[in-house]
Amino acid sequence: MIEYIKGEVAELTPTLAVIEAAGVGYGLNISLNTYTSIQGKKEAKLYVYEAIREDAYVLYGFGSKKEREMFELLISVSGVGANTARMMLSSMSVSELCNAISTGNTRMVQTIKGIGKMTAQRIIVDLREKIVALGIANEIPAGGTVAAAVNNEVRDEAVAALTMLGFAPAPTQKVVVAILQEQPALPVEQVVKLALKQIK
């Protein structure tokens, strides 16, 4: 079992980090919160979750143990897969998600793309007590500020990230462009977070 990977950040997008350790490049699927935490760094330490299936061996990387714990809790809920859990951790910080679940805020959980009313209720019922017991709600607030790149770069990166998450490029681009027209200085991860709430 891989506990964590520490090494040079060889490549980084809002959905994937390639960490080179001992001459091996490990591709790890990441959330926007992890992307924010390691953006601009030459080296990073990511805690790992290994998803081993018959047809694939996928690594997920997390900037903190708390985020990994939250991910593991989410995928323990019936109907919530790894990609949905990553989407949830991209849409909200660990503390926001914990607060929504612990207060039974179904509407807040439903704002996440792909989460319907039944799934939101199941997540709250299954995880409410576990979250309190584990004490993982004390997490750093979402996304520190990051200097904005040229708008076209931000637009392209945001659209690419959303496309990788499974959204169609054309409607995605419309939403991203509209967000950037209103708030031109937003960094990529904030644009993607806003887009996730608007794309249905």
Side-chain angles (χ1 to χ4, degrees):
M1 177 182 156
I2 301 172
E3 172 63 15
Y4 64 81
I5 294 172
K6 182 179 180 181
E8 182 186 337
V9 180
E11 289 177 42
L12 183 64
T13 74
T15 56
L16 183 77
V18 177
I19 307 294
E20 184 177 333
V24 179
Y26 295 91
L28 299 111
N29 290 296
I30 58 171
S31 71
L32 277 175
N33 289 320
T34 293
Y35 171 76
T36 303
S37 71
I38 64 174
Q39 192 182 33
K41 294 183 179 178
K42 290 182 178 178
E43 288 203 344
K45 175 181 179 180
L46 294 182
Y47 294 92
V48 175
Y49 175 82
E50 299 170 82
I52 301 167
R53 302 192 301 268
E54 281 183 22
D55 60 340
Y57 175 51
V58 184
L59 298 177
Y60 291 87
F62 305 93
S64 69
K65 280 189 174 182
K66 286 184 178 182
E67 189 183 16
R68 181 175 65 180
E69 283 175 22
M70 191 72 227
F71 177 85
E72 289 173 340
L73 283 175
L74 289 168
I75 62 173
S76 74
V77 177
S78 175
V80 178
N83 282 332
T84 301
R86 182 171 63 153
M87 176 86 71
M88 293 179 76
L89 289 166
S90 292
S91 301
M92 295 182 188
S93 68
V94 174
S95 61
E96 288 168 339
L97 203 46
C98 283
N99 289 339
I101 293 168
S102 61
T103 57
N105 192 338
T106 310
R107 190 173 295 172
M108 176 74 83
V109 178
Q110 272 184 262
T111 62
I112 299 163
K113 169 72 182 170
I115 303 294
K117 188 176 181 181
M118 295 295 288
T119 305
Q121 288 173 341
R122 196 181 302 127
I123 288 167
I124 288 166
V125 169
D126 286 5
L127 301 186
R128 189 184 238 165
E129 289 182 14
K130 292 179 184 176
I131 282 170
V132 175
L134 282 171
I136 62 172
N138 303 319
E139 183 53 74
I140 305 160
T145 54
V146 179
V150 179
N151 281 352
N152 285 344
E153 288 180 32
V154 174
R155 182 199 65 202
D156 293 346
E157 266 199 86
V159 171
L162 288 158
T163 305
M164 282 182 201
L165 287 169
F167 298 102
T172 296
Q173 180 140 328
K174 273 188 187 176
V175 172
V176 168
V177 168
I179 290 167
L180 285 171
Q181 281 171 346
E182 282 182 29
Q183 303 178 72
L186 281 182
V188 175
E189 63 274 11
Q190 294 296 339
V191 173
V192 175
K193 279 186 182 183
L194 287 172
L196 284 170
K197 291 175 181 174
Q198 293 180 33
I199 302 170
K200 296 295 177 191

